[in-house]
Each structure stands twice: as structure tokens, then as C-alpha cells.
């Protein structure tokens, strides 16, 4: 899609910011087809005009950008929403992502970065400013593995045994994999059943697989 074909709506409650952003985009050959000062107005305008991209502020009086983003992406999934905001906190970033925003930039971003993001979102790509990208990456790399936090009452060895039980291994196979005696495995299995309050292997497998083990 060439810049001449990209049609944009700006949703922001500050008229001077809208005016500046309009001038910036139009100077770079991107057409601004409408402006909105709050979320509900952005939703209505997006429905009426059907732009390629809505550049959306998040916190606006009279209706916030998160709900507007959710509505627009649900009712018109072909419209890309690029969040452009001052808010860099995790709650705002991930709320926007869950609402369906394809991009997230801070208002301090440079003109070329904003224009590049508009073009990318119009092309169906997902794009985030450098700081936001680092924040998202950090969140996912540091997010604890839920399998490791499941069943805290079990020892590490018991969790290993439960993982193998969830994979459908019998006691003999587990003993061979862990280089332990069959008697030791039987003891671990008994302890697991007691701690998880299950009667048999089948119930243990169900609990383990619900927690993501055995996959």
C-alpha cells in the first residue's frame, strides 16, 4: 500500500496535538480523513469513514481509547489501531494489546518513527516503539513458567515424576529415565497421590495436564 492510499483518523482530546499530527502525516503524504476527541467519537467516525488506520490516544475524557480500540477491532477488523500515548506503564501497554491494537508508540517518538508505524499498521504488521518493545520482551522472557509454579507442595523430584506420569510413562519407564530404583519411584508416586489428594494415576494425569505438565 502506497502512502497515497493510506487513510488515517486521529483520535486525541488535545486539538493542538491533533493539528500537529495531521500536519506531520500529510507532509509525509499520508491522508488524514478525520479527527475525534474521545473514544465514542472515534468509534463512530471509524465506522462511517472506514480508514486504514486509527491513531489512538488512550486516556481521553468522555470515553477511553482502550474500549474504542476493542470496539473498532471487533466490528471492523480490517482497520488497524496504532496507539500513540504518553503512558508507558505495563497496564496500558498490555490492555491496548489485548484490545487489538497493532502498534504502540509514545508521543515523544519522532516524526519518521510515527509515519513508519502508520505505514506498518496499514500493511497489517504489528509495531512497537523501542522502549515498548523492550518492555514486552522483558515481560515474556521473565514471565514464570506456570508449570514450575504448579503444585508447590511437591518437591522438585516429585514434580519430575509427575511430569513423566502426565506423559503416560509407567513406573518402570520413569525409573529408567531418572536412574532411580522402582521402589523409589513407587514411593514418589505414593507421595504425589497423597499430596494432590488423588486416588489413582488417572486423576493425577488429569490434574497434571490441566496445569500444563506432560505436554
Amino acid at each position: 500500500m502506497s502512502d497515497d492510499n493510506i487513510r488515517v483518523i486521529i483520535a486525541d482530546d488535545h486539538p493542538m496535538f491533533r493539528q500537529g499530527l495531521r500536519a506531520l502525516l500529510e507532509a509525509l503524504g499520508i491522508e488524514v480523513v478525520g479527527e475525534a476527541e474521545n473514544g465514542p467519537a472515534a468509534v463512530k467516525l471509524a465506522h462511517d469513514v472506514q480508514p486504514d488506520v486509527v491513531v489512538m490516544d488512550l486516556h481521553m475524557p468522555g470515553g477511553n481509547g482502550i474500549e474504542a480500540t476493542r470496539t473498532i477491532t471487533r466490528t471492523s477488523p480490517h482497520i488497524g489501531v496504532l496507539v500513540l500515548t504518553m503512558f508507558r506503564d505495563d497496564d496500558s501497554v498490555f490492555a491496548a494489546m489485548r484490545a487489538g491494537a497493532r502498534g504502540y508508540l509514545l508521543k515523544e517518538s519522532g516524526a519518521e518513527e510515527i509515519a513508519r508505524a502508520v505505514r506498518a499498521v496499514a500493511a497489517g504488521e504489528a509495531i512497537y516503539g523501542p522502549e515498548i518493545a523492550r518492555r514486552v520482551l522483558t515481560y515474556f522472557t521473565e514471565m514464570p513458567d506456570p508449570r514450575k509454579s504448579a503444585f508447590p507442595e511437591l518437591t522438585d523430584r516429585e514434580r519430575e515424576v509427575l511430569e513423566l506420569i502426565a506423559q503416560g510413562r509407567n513406573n518402570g519407564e520413569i525409573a529408567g529415565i531418572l536412574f532411580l530404583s522402582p521402589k523409589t519411584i513407587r514411593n514418589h508416586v505414593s507421595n504425589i497421590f497423597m499430596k494432590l489428594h488423588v486416588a489413582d494415576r488417572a486423576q493425577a494425569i488429569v490434574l497434571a495436564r490441566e496445569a500444563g505438565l506432560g505436554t
Side-chain angles (χ1 to χ4, degrees):
M1 180 181 293
S2 68
D3 289 354
D4 292 339
N5 295 326
I6 298 175
R7 302 166 68 249
V8 174
I9 285 173
I10 300 170
D12 194 287
D13 60 317
H14 294 96
M16 293 298 292
F17 181 82
R18 296 199 306 269
Q19 181 180 342
L21 184 57
R22 173 188 279 271
L24 181 157
L25 293 175
E26 290 181 343
L28 293 170
I30 297 172
E31 182 183 7
V32 176
V33 294
E35 299 178 15
E37 63 181 11
N38 57 45
V43 170
K44 184 178 186 308
L45 191 58
H47 177 269
D48 294 343
V49 177
Q50 293 294 300
D52 302 298
V53 178
V54 177
V55 179
M56 181 79 72
D57 192 11
L58 287 187
H59 297 280
M60 298 176 282
N64 69 60
I66 295 295
E67 288 303 319
T69 296
R70 184 176 293 110
T71 300
I72 291 169
T73 57
R74 185 180 68 245
T75 58
S76 301
H78 56 283
I79 298 175
V81 176
L82 169 65
V83 170
L84 186 60
T85 183
M86 296 186 303
F87 294 90
R88 50 175 31 96
D89 59 286
D90 287 352
D91 288 346
S92 296
V93 172
F94 293 110
M97 292 173 65
R98 287 191 295 270
R102 290 186 199 161
Y104 197 110
L105 291 184
L106 299 176
K107 285 186 175 179
E108 63 199 45
S109 302
E112 284 297 333
E113 185 178 1
I114 294 172
R116 185 169 60 250
V118 168
R119 296 182 188 112
V121 169
E125 300 173 19
I127 188 163
Y128 301 93
E131 178 183 337
I132 302 304
R134 286 193 296 271
R135 190 180 296 273
V136 171
L137 181 61
T138 298
Y139 174 83
F140 284 110
T141 55
E142 293 182 354
M143 188 168 57
D145 185 342
R147 294 177 301 177
K148 292 182 179 179
S149 59
F151 312 119
E153 64 269 36
L154 301 182
T155 66
D156 289 344
R157 178 63 81 187
E158 288 166 352
R159 195 173 291 107
E160 285 182 313
V161 172
L162 181 60
E163 174 84 39
L164 293 169
I165 290 173
Q167 292 175 10
R169 308 277 189 172
N170 61 39
N171 285 3
E173 292 173 321
I174 295 172
I177 292 169
L178 298 181
F179 300 101
L180 297 172
S181 71
K183 180 180 179 182
T184 299
I185 297 301
R186 286 196 300 272
N187 290 338
H188 283 316
V189 171
S190 295
N191 289 336
I192 291 168
F193 288 0
M194 178 184 66
K195 290 180 179 180
L196 299 186
H197 305 289
V198 296
D200 54 32
R201 211 176 193 87
Q203 290 182 5
I205 289 174
V206 169
L207 282 181
R209 290 185 176 172
E210 285 178 349
L213 275 65
T215 58

